[in-house]
Amino acid sequence: MTESTDDILTRPLGVTEAAAPEPPLGRFGRLVAPLRRPKIAAGAIAGALLAACGLVLALGDPQGGEPRVEVAITIREPVARPAPAPVAATPEMQGTVVVNAGGAQQRSAEEIETASGVTVVRPPGSGPSEAVVIRVPPVNAPRLAAAPDPRISEQNRHGIMPKLGDGRVRALDVYARAEEPGTGPRIAILVTGLGVGQAATAGATVRLPQAVSLAFLPYGAEAERSAARARDTGHEVFLQLPMEPFDYPDSDPGPQTLLTALKGLENTDRLAWSLARFPGYVGVANFMGAKMMADPAFEPVLREIGARGLGFLDDGTGPKPAFANKARTPVARAEIVLDAVPRADAIDAALSQAEAKARATGFALVSAGGAALSVDRIARWAKDLDTRGIRLVPASVALRGSVEKRVSTAN
């Protein structure tokens, strides 16, 4: 028996396969019945494909049948804007220029300052929409020597550091800002703690007179760039050396601090690390360090500073040390700390005290931190110094020259 089970079950009983009636077809069934034959179905499909290809070739639109829309584009004339008011050409000038201090203009002023030495000063308490003052230095303003100078530089494992050059050429002389000629009482100001806070550093650099010396900490990725920018602006710079205070480690100056408990070679290596942070400084100033300066461990450090053609300046914030100076390194100590009491009236009083000291002795060396309040009070005080007969001079004046002529209260 070769018939399938389905055929047996669906064929009426007693009727042979040949005689079995076909099921009735409807109208649609009669239409599609020929397509059930394989040859006819294959031919129909092939014909449909050929017809579609022919339509594509004839119409040239491969995306025919997809939704589309046509939009009319109307070209309008641009709205006329009023022409800007003509700006009168101004001749090249020196002195003070007032410009708008909006965000973009302020950034442009900073770019000009970096590129050409222009000093930008924002009036105290002014907002971004108010004016700034651009002080254009005169053509004959002193320019500092390029750094590093190969005559007084050498490479060590930490980087480039100063050395005493042939003929005893010193960084203290090469990188110093020249004292402008004149007579009368002189005041030198050292502003410390710069190079870490960029806002405070930029404020001190652009607001303070060029004769004010700036001291930079050896920390932070921007220390070298900030010191270079200060020198480009006309400020001579010092390197601040982190040293152990009496309450160490409660007060910690930071990494690579010189400590009294370390052996001489260890402190010398830490000193070398600091000296290689950036070039162009005239000397070293302390950062904290009251305990270190009062300890015999400071003597080899001071000797190394002098042997590299540098001077040492004590900012006066700690007790007066009584260290030995057998190597006769140029040393000076600030007589007045302007912001020992960080209030505006106290800083103003300290500046008046510095004036009285300068009138009495001919010279006063003072220091201040780089906080915005201190910078603001110094900038205000310095505006009319000429009318009071006082001259600002760089702090290196207190270190240069022979020991007998050097103004110093630290020896």
Side-chain angles (χ1 to χ4, degrees), residues 268-295:
T268 301
D269 186 69
R270 292 189 175 201
L271 171 63
W273 180 88
S274 293
L275 292 178
R277 291 310 92 200
F278 59 86
Y281 48 87
V282 300
V284 174
N286 64 298
F287 178 50
M288 302 188 190
K291 182 177 181 180
M292 184 69 187
M293 289 189 290
D295 193 273

Side-chain angles (χ1 to χ4, degrees), residues 259-349:
L259 303 173
T260 57
L262 296 179
K263 297 179 181 179
L265 291 178
E266 294 178 85
N267 276 330
T268 301
D269 186 69
R270 292 189 175 201
L271 171 63
W273 180 88
S274 293
L275 292 178
R277 291 310 92 200
F278 59 86
Y281 48 87
V282 300
V284 174
N286 64 298
F287 178 50
M288 302 188 190
K291 182 177 181 180
M292 184 69 187
M293 289 189 290
D295 193 273
F298 185 58
E299 171 61 25
V301 173
L302 188 62
R303 182 172 61 249
E304 179 71 8
I305 290 172
R308 293 194 170 276
L310 303 167
F312 179 78
L313 197 152
D314 178 359
D315 67 2
T317 54
K320 183 177 178 179
F323 51 78
N325 187 11
K326 298 177 183 179
R328 299 172 71 82
T329 297
V331 173
R333 174 179 166 88
E335 301 157 291
I336 300 171
V337 179
L338 298 177
D339 51 3
V341 179
R343 293 198 319 266
D345 59 336
I347 295 172
D348 293 344

Side-chain angles (χ1 to χ4, degrees), residues 43-44 51 73 75 131 159 196 202 207 224 257 266 280 286 354 404:
I73 299 177
I75 300 178
V196 177
R207 296 203 60 207
E224 181 175 0
T257 293
E266 294 178 85
N286 64 298
E404 289 75 23

Side-chain angles (χ1 to χ4, degrees), residues 187 355 381-392:
I187 295 178
E355 281 194 47
W381 166 82
K383 285 181 179 178
D384 56 352
L385 272 183
D386 293 341
T387 63
R388 304 200 300 275
I390 300 290
R391 286 195 299 132
L392 269 180

Side-chain angles (χ1 to χ4, degrees), residues 5 40 43 46 60 97 126 153 161 179 181 192 199 215 247 251 255 285 290 304 317 342-343 377:
T5 306
I40 297 177
V97 182
S126 66
S153 303
M161 58 191 299
E179 178 182 353
T192 63
D247 58 348
S251 295
E304 179 71 8
T317 54
R343 293 198 319 266
R377 303 317 299 179

Side-chain angles (χ1 to χ4, degrees), residues 72-396:
I73 299 177
T74 303
I75 300 178
R76 299 179 180 177
E77 294 295 329
V79 179
R81 298 181 181 274
V87 179
T90 56
E92 185 176 353
M93 59 189 302
Q94 298 174 4
T96 302
V97 182
V98 180
V99 299
N100 185 282
Q105 287 83 352
Q106 178 65 23
R107 287 193 297 272
S108 298
E110 292 174 355
E111 293 172 0
I112 294 173
E113 173 202 349
T114 302
S116 61
V118 174
T119 302
V120 180
V121 179
R122 183 187 295 278
S126 66
S129 62
E130 297 186 17
V132 297
V133 178
I134 299 180
R135 292 192 184 122
V136 181
V139 176
N140 59 352
R143 302 289 293 179
L144 302 185
D149 187 322
R151 299 175 300 163
I152 52 174
S153 303
E154 68 179 9
Q155 181 79 32
N156 78 340
R157 72 187 190 90
H158 297 297
I160 297 176
M161 58 191 299
K163 71 171 184 177
L164 190 64
D166 295 339
R168 300 192 64 79
V169 177
R170 305 181 301 178
L172 178 56
D173 301 313
V174 173
Y175 297 139
R177 177 185 171 90
E179 178 182 353
E180 297 180 16
T183 59
R186 301 175 300 164
I187 295 178
I189 302 177
L190 178 70
V191 173
T192 63
L194 303 177
V196 177
Q198 291 307 301
T201 300
T205 299
V206 302
R207 296 203 60 207
L208 293 174
Q210 294 176 332
V212 174
S213 301
L214 307 180
F216 290 82
L217 294 166
Y219 306 127
E222 294 293 319
E224 181 175 0
R225 185 179 302 176
S226 298
R229 187 178 295 116
R231 296 187 77 252
D232 289 342
T233 308
H235 299 277
E236 72 175 14
V237 300
F238 282 74
L239 165 72
Q240 279 195 273
L241 184 63
M243 298 189 293
E244 181 181 0
F246 281 112
D247 58 348
Y248 181 85
D250 292 337
S251 295
D252 188 350
Q256 304 293 333
T257 293
L258 276 60
L259 303 173
T260 57
L262 296 179
K263 297 179 181 179
L265 291 178
E266 294 178 85
N267 276 330
T268 301
D269 186 69
R270 292 189 175 201
L271 171 63
W273 180 88
S274 293
L275 292 178
R277 291 310 92 200
F278 59 86
Y281 48 87
V282 300
V284 174
N286 64 298
F287 178 50
M288 302 188 190
K291 182 177 181 180
M292 184 69 187
M293 289 189 290
D295 193 273
F298 185 58
E299 171 61 25
V301 173
L302 188 62
R303 182 172 61 249
E304 179 71 8
I305 290 172
R308 293 194 170 276
L310 303 167
F312 179 78
L313 197 152
D314 178 359
D315 67 2
T317 54
K320 183 177 178 179
F323 51 78
N325 187 11
K326 298 177 183 179
R328 299 172 71 82
T329 297
V331 173
R333 174 179 166 88
E335 301 157 291
I336 300 171
V337 179
L338 298 177
D339 51 3
V341 179
R343 293 198 319 266
D345 59 336
I347 295 172
D348 293 344
L351 287 166
S352 298
Q353 182 185 355
E355 281 194 47
K357 175 72 175 176
R359 295 183 191 280
T361 64
F363 179 83
L365 174 62
V366 303
S367 72
L373 176 62
S374 302
V375 170
D376 175 60
R377 303 317 299 179
I378 295 171
R380 285 171 176 263
W381 166 82
K383 285 181 179 178
D384 56 352
L385 272 183
D386 293 341
T387 63
R388 304 200 300 275
I390 300 290
R391 286 195 299 132
L392 269 180
V393 296
S396 61

Side-chain angles (χ1 to χ4, degrees), residues 25-36:
L25 297 177
R27 181 180 301 175
F28 178 77
R30 288 193 298 272
L31 290 175
V32 300
L35 296 179
R36 292 180 180 177

